[in-house]
Amino acid sequence: MQVLANGLALGAIYALVASCLLLIFGILEIPDFALGGRIMVGGYAGYFVAENLGLHYWIAVVAAALAAGLLGVVSELAVYRWLRNTPRPLLSGFIGALVLLTATEITVQLLFTADFRKLPSPYESQILDFAGIRMTEQRLLAGVVALVLIAALHAYLRGTRGGRAMRATLEDRRGAEIVGISPAKTALIAMLLGSCMAGVAGALLGPMYLVYPTMGDAILIKGLIVIVLAGMRSSLGAISAALLLGIAESFGASYLSVGFSDAYAFIFLIIALMVRPNGLFTKSVLVR
Amino acid sequence: MSVMSKAVLTRAASGLSAGLRSREPGRREWLIIVPIVAVCALLPLVIQGRYEVGVMTLILIYAIAAYGLDLVLGHLGLVSVAHAALLTVGAYTLVILTTKYGVGYWWAALAGVGVTTLAGLLLAGITMRSRGHYFSVSSLAFAAVTVVVITQWTSLTNGASGIYAIPTPPGFDSTISLFYLSLIVLTAVLVAMFLLTRSTLGRNLRAIQADEVLAASLGINVVATKLKAFTVSAAIVGLAGPLFASWISYITPSSASIMEGFNLLVYVIIGGSATLAGPLVGVALVVGVTEAFRFTELYQTLIFSGIVFLVLLFFRGGVVGSVARAWSRVAVRRRGPEPAEVPEVAVGPGPVALPHLSPADRGGPAEPGKVLFEARSLTKKYGGVTAVSDVSLAAREGEIIGVIGPNGAGKSTLFGLISGVVGGWSGSASFAGRDLRRLAVHERARLGIGRTFQTNRLLNDETVLQNLVTAAYLHRPARGSRSADPDDGFLNTILDLTGLRAKANEVVSGLSIEEQKLVGVGMALAVRPRMLLLDEPFAGLRESETPRLMRLLEWLRDQGMVILLVEHKMRVLMSLCSHVYVLDSGQLIAEGSPDQIVNDPRVISAYLGTKNA
């Protein structure tokens, strides 16, 4: 039970990152590797607000969202928008995203060194004991906040005018354009929302797994694996795959080896690609 | 500059630009390899410092790996971040075998190449069946996992602290000798890359990169070809692995990281992807500038990743591609346009015998009237929509069969089912006595099913002749056919039949829609089909051109070919077809001779609506 609970909390964060990736991929058609950089920037923003300014953890989380969101908007305006108009947008977008990721990581490393930092959180030291399951408040909080954000994203996509425009673009870009939905504006909103949530993910991870320049890489790869497993389109599939991966890693870390736990996601991917070369949940369509 | 060397340079540059235009290096591109290798070989005479020679050696070693990467990046369009990890796998194999198990250097190096190749085969075997972003994400994961495994498997790899004192190849222990050893390997790789781009494999890779569906319909086994290319790519990187280990003499897991993999991509893209000189130029430029300005590795990556962004936006083809483009522009201004290369097309026998029936494995000569293709109760559902419902049809040799119906009737889906592009159907279909159910698209093409597409699918950047050569892939002799010359007068015949002879050396994207349609038909013919599926070939054709294509189809029919024709032009159908099937909303609503069909009340109501509707 203990292991299962840990896995679910971890899986919820994977699901959050996967939802961001899926939203951005759906609108921009770019697998946004640089999201890993924005998770990390969120972690750093949170760290400086909480540690250097001594403000409360929740303010740090908001600052993380704002910093990552800003970086996301800049990325879209300065890089992605231009690459979409090149002759081979798929290839260019891909490499452009890699460029952004490495550039973000290196800039942060040059500015703040590669030292590991701990984002202070009042919830990290509190341990909850519920029906024999022991867990830090921070871990529980991270899982819950992740799930709430995913739910909020879906509420936005279903319930608001802007969200419906975005869903239309996800379904059929050309069609949405024809009925007057601006693709540039939609892309900007998607990047803003996705990046803000990625920043929050960074601030949630900071107290548990420390803050350092490449902190986003592992979780980014897992988020990508999750959306690949889900066939790049299905958000429900992505969330299930994320929870499954979190649980699998948690069990692997307890019963097999902690060091190899980052490799389990890859094994997951290998098996899935062998069984279903085009993803596990390819039938369903994103955000219904 | 002597006249002689000037002439060589000019020819080399035009060879380069020719390579850019068609992405198929001409014979003259040989001339690029010679000066490259010569300059490299002479450099140590000018630059003699131990450190400097060491840097140049590293450039050569990275260049070997960069060529391996470009084989998949430039020729398949796959962005791989895994190639630095593959390099590291080869390096670690050598290091572990020599330092831990006392294996001789050359055997260990050989094992390094072998293990790298196997790792590449494994990665490709898992990922090549899937499309789009799956591969790149997998390559990212592969790099990350390689780092994890090497770091964690401490008993074998010494973990994160790495391994010291890596031996140099016996007999090559001085800095300068390692330089020349690397140069020899690089030269071999250059020659291999040159031959490969001109080979059938290279041509098939270009077809796959341009359009996988088209490639499969021409009989190219897409998955196997990609697998082969990726494995060769890994093997080339494997050559660099042991050299890299000996050069660096101290190795840690971080050489497999995503950042290192990204650096390899940066070299290739800046130098010029899919050009013969590009990867070497890219490595030399990036590593050279880094050394000249004493950047740390972090600054190197930061600065050059910014440059990659600019290359993507403004300098497609990288340094080499852009220089070649500028050079050919200057050359054109000075001398006027180069005379179009005279096609090496011998005057063929003319349209007397299209030898599509000759190979014995195609089931012997045509017997008019024999049922070649038969389908029973074909059904295809997309979710709740039934696109094709319970359709049965048969086609005999020497017949033109029409398939008509209003838009959305399921005609194109039906063609997709028969050619194999659309899967997941029920019912049965057989061709020349073979059950089609389990056959992939390329296998059906090999059996003798050729097709055109409703919206043209061609290799747009290549010439008409190159398109046809690629399409004739199945029927080229297995070996020794590297040239783009049409063989055995067969392509000649197709050029005559389609009336494209005058356009043979023009790039397809510059042709009119009408001519492109004819190229499509020509490509389908080059597969030497026994059955031809034509999806609206007459749409967009001028009135004056229509009779010409009609005559061609009639002639093909008289040769014993089966033609399934989807068409809206009733006059054409009436005069060509012996039998017509009418589809409406996925259902077969009528069949019979053209005369019966046009008078059938169900057909009339499907097209015009009933009075009461």
Side-chain angles (χ1 to χ4, degrees):
Chain A
M1 276 312 281
Q2 173 72 50
V3 180
L4 188 67
N6 278 336
L8 280 175
L10 196 61
I13 299 180
Y14 293 162
L16 176 62
V17 173
S19 298
C20 300
L21 284 169
L22 202 58
L23 177 70
I24 294 170
F25 178 78
I27 305 280
L28 278 73
E29 298 216 327
I30 288 174
D32 187 15
F33 301 132
L35 196 79
R38 274 170 258 142
I39 292 173
M40 176 266 295
V41 166
Y44 271 88
Y47 170 81
F48 287 123
V49 168
E51 178 76 27
N52 294 22
L53 302 180
L55 296 172
H56 191 267
Y57 179 67
W58 286 112
I59 299 173
V61 171
V62 173
L66 291 178
L70 182 70
L71 187 59
V73 169
V74 171
S75 305
E76 158 66 12
L77 291 178
V79 178
Y80 288 159
R81 175 162 296 180
W82 304 97
L83 291 178
R84 282 202 295 279
N85 296 324
T86 56
R88 295 174 69 191
L90 209 75
L91 205 78
S92 304
F94 211 94
I95 297 166
L98 277 173
V99 166
L100 267 182
L101 174 68
T102 42
T104 316
E105 288 181 358
I106 292 172
T107 309
V108 168
Q109 182 168 346
L110 291 172
L111 289 176
F112 308 121
T113 74
D115 291 345
F116 291 79
R117 295 149 199 260
K118 189 171 168 60
L119 202 168
S121 160
Y123 309 106
E124 183 60 12
S125 52
Q126 303 295 316
I127 292 174
L128 289 173
D129 198 328
F130 179 77
I133 304 171
R134 291 167 57 79
M135 187 186 260
T136 62
E137 274 187 11
Q138 178 67 28
R139 189 173 283 270
L140 181 70
L141 188 82
V144 171
V145 170
L147 291 179
V148 167
L149 281 178
I150 294 170
L153 173 67
H154 282 244
Y156 167 75
L157 289 176
R158 283 158 152 263
T160 67
R161 193 177 148 79
R164 279 197 296 272
M166 196 163 285
R167 267 168 63 214
T169 312
L170 287 170
E171 292 262 337
D172 184 345
R173 175 184 326 276
R174 185 64 60 81
E177 211 170 318
I178 286 168
V179 298
I181 296 169
S182 155
K185 197 174 131 196
T186 317
L188 206 58
I189 296 172
M191 277 297 272
L192 178 67
L193 288 179
S195 306
C196 284
M197 296 200 303
V200 173
L204 293 174
L205 289 168
M208 296 187 285
Y209 297 99
L210 306 180
V211 176
Y212 52 98
T214 53
M215 70 177 274
D217 283 4
I219 190 160
L220 167 82
I221 291 175
K222 284 165 197 169
L224 284 168
I225 286 178
V226 161
I227 64 170
V228 162
L229 288 178
M232 308 301 279
R233 286 284 168 207
S234 149
S235 69
L236 204 65
I239 293 167
S240 345
L243 293 176
L244 222 69
L245 178 62
I247 294 167
E249 278 190 7
S250 178
F251 273 95
S254 328
Y255 297 110
L256 296 170
S257 152
V258 182
F260 280 101
S261 66
D262 280 343
Y264 299 143
F266 188 57
I267 297 167
F268 219 57
L269 178 70
I270 289 174
I271 295 169
L273 279 183
M274 288 202 291
V275 183
R276 293 282 303 268
N278 290 311
L280 290 179
F281 303 91
T282 23
K283 277 278 164 78
S284 35
V285 179
L286 184 107
V287 203
R288 282 277 179 186
Chain B
M1 190 187 280
S2 73
V3 180
M4 176 77 176
S5 63
K6 203 168 185 176
V8 168
L9 258 180
T10 313
R11 280 163 71 191
S14 65
L16 227 166
S17 62
L20 181 84
R21 254 183 276 123
S22 65
R23 295 195 300 143
E24 174 162 354
R27 288 208 180 79
R28 287 178 297 183
E29 201 167 326
W30 268 114
L31 290 168
I32 294 288
I33 299 182
V34 179
I36 288 175
V37 174
V39 166
C40 290
L42 295 176
L43 265 182
L45 298 179
V46 186
I47 305 168
Q48 288 178 323
R50 237 180 91 81
Y51 178 78
E52 284 80 2
V53 173
V55 170
M56 292 192 297
T57 310
L58 182 65
I59 290 176
L60 297 183
I61 295 171
Y62 273 151
I64 297 168
Y67 280 104
L69 174 61
D70 194 34
L71 182 54
V72 291
L73 179 71
H75 299 274
L76 271 179
L78 294 177
V79 183
S80 166
V81 200
H83 274 63
L86 287 172
L87 178 92
T88 310
V89 167
Y92 261 95
T93 307
L94 172 99
V95 172
I96 290 167
L97 285 180
T98 49
T99 58
K100 276 211 149 75
Y101 297 98
V103 177
Y105 185 92
W106 297 113
W107 289 113
L110 197 65
V113 178
V115 171
T116 312
T117 311
L118 273 181
L121 183 66
L122 196 74
L123 179 61
I126 293 161
T127 52
M128 287 302 149
R129 281 186 305 157
S130 54
R131 286 194 200 155
H133 299 292
Y134 297 77
F135 170 76
S136 295
V137 171
S138 304
S139 82
L140 211 66
F142 180 84
V145 162
T146 306
V147 175
V148 168
V149 169
I150 295 178
T151 312
Q152 297 294 327
W153 198 345
T154 40
S155 59
L156 194 67
T157 61
N158 211 21
S161 32
I163 301 178
Y164 289 91
I166 299 167
T168 50
F172 294 92
D173 28 23
S174 70
T175 317
I176 190 79
S177 61
L178 193 62
F179 174 85
Y180 281 109
L181 179 63
S182 307
L183 183 59
I184 291 168
V185 176
L186 177 65
T187 309
V189 169
L190 270 170
V191 171
M193 288 296 285
F194 174 78
L195 294 178
L196 196 130
T197 43
R198 286 174 60 83
S199 71
T200 303
L201 176 62
R203 202 170 289 123
N204 290 352
L205 289 177
R206 280 192 292 280
I208 290 170
Q209 186 179 11
D211 189 336
E212 289 195 7
V213 175
L214 172 69
S217 81
L218 298 175
I220 297 169
N221 186 342
V222 172
V223 175
T225 308
K226 285 164 83 176
L227 198 66
K228 206 189 283 179
F230 196 89
T231 311
V232 172
S233 157
I236 293 176
V237 174
L239 290 171
L243 287 171
F244 177 72
S246 293
W247 182 86
I248 199 165
S249 85
Y250 162 53
I251 194 162
T252 62
S254 67
S255 15
S257 69
I258 292 169
M259 188 92 78
E260 295 295 336
F262 175 71
N263 277 337
L264 275 183
L265 281 171
V266 168
Y267 300 144
V268 176
I269 293 167
I270 288 183
S273 183
T275 61
L276 194 53
L280 176 63
V281 170
V283 178
L285 210 67
V286 175
V287 177
V289 168
T290 303
E291 288 297 329
F293 292 95
R294 308 268 163 196
F295 292 148
T296 63
E297 204 184 336
L298 284 180
Y299 276 108
Q300 175 198 323
T301 310
L302 186 61
I303 290 165
F304 287 102
S305 65
I307 293 177
V308 162
F309 175 58
L310 296 179
V311 167
L312 288 178
L313 279 183
F314 305 114
F315 303 101
R316 300 204 62 78
V319 172
V320 171
S322 302
V323 167
R325 217 169 14 230
W327 185 286
S328 66
R329 221 173 283 149
V330 170
V332 166
R333 204 171 302 150
R334 223 181 328 165
R335 294 195 313 264
E338 271 182 57
E341 260 178 64
V342 182
E344 294 171 47
V345 178
V347 179
V352 280
L354 189 64
H356 68 282
L357 300 165
S358 52
D361 58 278
R362 321 228 109 193
E367 298 169 30
K370 188 178 133 196
V371 174
L372 184 68
F373 172 75
E374 198 169 14
R376 288 217 182 87
S377 320
L378 286 181
T379 302
K380 169 69 192 174
K381 291 180 180 162
Y382 289 106
V385 183
T386 308
V388 171
S389 167
D390 198 22
V391 171
S392 301
L393 45 86
R396 290 174 183 77
E397 297 198 320
E399 261 189 340
I400 300 180
I401 308 275
V403 179
I404 65 170
N407 286 326
K411 304 182 296 288
S412 290
T413 305
L414 183 66
F415 268 23
L417 294 180
I418 299 173
S419 64
V421 176
V422 175
W425 43 276
S426 63
S428 71
S430 69
F431 179 82
R434 294 277 302 272
D435 183 8
L436 288 183
R437 173 155 292 279
R438 298 218 153 268
L439 296 182
V441 179
H442 69 271
E443 291 170 319
R444 297 183 196 204
R446 288 171 184 201
L447 269 185
I449 300 181
R451 73 170 296 189
T452 66
F453 295 87
Q454 189 180 356
T455 46
N456 260 325
R457 298 185 102 135
L458 307 168
L459 308 174
N460 287 318
D461 300 335
E462 307 203 359
T463 65
V464 172
L465 193 56
Q466 284 168 339
N467 268 273
L468 292 179
V469 170
T470 302
Y473 141 79
L474 285 175
H475 304 285
R476 243 168 290 132
R479 298 198 183 282
S481 54
R482 294 210 178 85
S483 72
D485 307 333
D487 36 1
D488 64 53
F490 171 53
L491 297 185
N492 250 312
T493 315
I494 291 179
L495 285 174
D496 284 336
L497 285 174
T498 51
L500 288 166
R501 168 167 297 247
K503 305 277 180 180
N505 286 309
E506 288 190 23
V507 174
V508 164
S509 56
L511 299 180
S512 70
I513 299 288
E514 188 175 63
E515 288 159 344
Q516 291 183 353
K517 282 250 162 182
L518 290 169
V519 177
V521 174
M523 287 174 84
L525 286 178
V527 178
R528 301 196 197 190
R530 298 173 69 186
M531 178 162 82
L532 194 56
L533 310 177
L534 298 175
D535 203 343
E536 299 194 22
F538 290 94
L541 232 56
R542 264 178 301 170
E543 280 303 306
S544 55
E545 277 295 317
T546 305
R548 181 195 179 86
L549 185 56
M550 285 174 69
R551 276 203 305 281
L552 172 58
L553 297 189
E554 281 164 351
W555 182 80
L556 290 169
R557 176 194 65 199
D558 295 340
Q559 302 294 308
M561 195 180 283
V562 176
I563 299 173
L564 279 186
L565 185 63
V566 163
E567 193 48 63
H568 283 305
K569 289 189 178 170
M570 286 311 261
R571 194 170 48 76
V572 172
L573 277 164
M574 296 291 286
S575 85
L576 281 180
C577 300
S578 55
H579 200 85
V580 176
Y581 291 91
V582 187
L583 289 179
D584 185 28
S585 308
Q587 310 231 350
L588 195 61
I589 56 166
E591 63 168 299
S593 71
D595 287 329
Q596 289 170 321
I597 290 300
V598 289
N599 295 317
D600 192 308
R602 284 167 300 179
V603 178
I604 295 169
S605 81
Y607 270 91
L608 303 174
T610 52
K611 267 184 186 160
N612 301 330

